[in-house]
Amino acid sequence: QVQLVESGGGSVQAGGSLRLSCVAFGFTYSSHCMAWFRQAPGKEREEVARLRPGGRIEYADSVIGRFAISRGNTKDSWILQMNILKPEDTSTYYCAADPFCRTDSSYWPYWGQGTQVTVSS
């Protein structure tokens, strides 16, 4: 059984930084797309950053130049470094993974439990 465990998040003032980490346990495929999503109350889920197995990285326009996704120290871990945070970044952040790297995240099978990020002005 695959499990994604997130850590990080919290509260910060605008302009500050936070770091989110995700560790996966039980992957059965050798490679996965690894990503971070966020969802604020009353809003649709938004893909923030995606790291493809070959190394290609994609970001939402709203976070380009401020957020960075990267692999962690272990094979099945990844990180979201968030800098120059804005109040509009306030949301619940989820790590997720998909061995088939599907465009539609509703098909992604593996999700973390979510961690709250709150940015005050």
Side-chain angles (χ1 to χ4, degrees):
Q1 182 176 357
V2 174
Q3 184 180 14
L4 304 187
V5 179
E6 300 177 26
S7 60
S11 297
V12 67
Q13 288 191 328
S17 298
L18 285 172
R19 181 182 176 96
L20 306 181
S21 298
C22 185
V23 180
F25 299 94
F27 273 164
T28 56
Y29 287 88
S30 60
S31 65
H32 296 74
C33 257
M34 300 170 175
W36 290 93
F37 295 79
R38 65 187 180 187
Q39 187 167 22
K43 294 189 176 181
E44 291 189 357
R45 185 172 63 202
E46 175 188 18
E47 182 171 334
V48 175
R50 178 183 297 212
L51 175 58
R52 294 182 178 270
R56 177 180 167 185
I57 293 175
E58 298 159 14
Y59 293 104
D61 289 346
S62 59
V63 307
I64 289 174
R66 301 188 299 121
F67 290 13
I69 187 172
S70 62
R71 292 191 177 274
N73 291 330
T74 61
K75 177 178 177 291
D76 294 332
S77 65
W78 57 107
I79 292 165
L80 185 68
Q81 178 66 42
M82 304 184 292
N83 300 323
I84 317 175
L85 281 160
K86 303 176 180 180
E88 52 263 43
D89 294 318
T90 295
S91 191
T92 302
Y93 285 71
Y94 300 87
C95 64
D98 180 22
F100 306 111
C101 222
R102 283 168 279 209
T103 301
D104 186 346
S105 63
S106 65
Y107 294 102
W108 284 37
Y110 310 129
W111 292 84
Q113 76 278 13
T115 186
Q116 180 66 33
V117 170
T118 302
V119 185
S120 58
S121 57

